Amino acid sequence: MIYNIDAKNTRKGNSISFSLKKDEGDYDFYYEDENTHEKVNPEVISNNSIREICNNIMLANSPMRTLKPGETADFKTLTYEGKITCN
């Protein structure tokens, strides 16, 4: 499944969009590197903004764990707010 994340930094006003993926039957999410197409653990993504968002939205009670294809959930952290869409 693919999880599209659209977030806005509530302090600076800038927006960021990216996707996380999860293979069927797998529990862990991953980020696919745009250049190498390698699976990257979200906790070690080199982009600080994406890593910060991932660290916050992938907590135990995150909507990421329960979303099914076609569903959307809003999220809000100290720095970002946005929407997660499961495809």
Side-chain angles (χ1 to χ4, degrees):
M1 285 190 272
I2 299 173
Y3 298 82
N4 296 313
I5 293 106
D6 297 305
K8 180 178 181 181
N9 185 312
T10 56
R11 296 179 183 165
K12 297 178 182 177
N14 58 319
S15 297
I16 189 167
S17 296
F18 63 97
S19 296
L20 291 177
K21 297 180 179 182
K22 185 171 103 171
D23 293 332
E24 187 68 36
D26 209 355
Y27 182 76
D28 294 326
F29 298 91
Y30 65 89
Y31 177 79
E32 187 173 302
D33 186 278
E34 296 171 358
N35 298 317
T36 65
H37 300 289
E38 291 182 18
K39 293 180 180 181
V40 178
N41 182 319
E43 295 175 356
V44 297
I45 295 171
S46 59
N47 181 303
N48 290 335
S49 296
I50 293 175
R51 188 176 61 248
E52 178 185 345
I53 294 166
C54 288
N55 287 339
N56 283 286
I57 65 173
M58 292 179 46
L59 300 172
N61 293 328
S62 169
M64 292 278 294
R65 302 278 179 211
T66 59
L67 282 177
K68 295 180 179 24
E71 293 182 340
T72 300
D74 294 326
F75 69 90
K76 187 171 185 171
T77 68
L78 290 175
T79 312
Y80 289 92
E81 60 183 24
K83 185 177 288 193
I84 304 166
T85 304
C86 179
N87 294 315

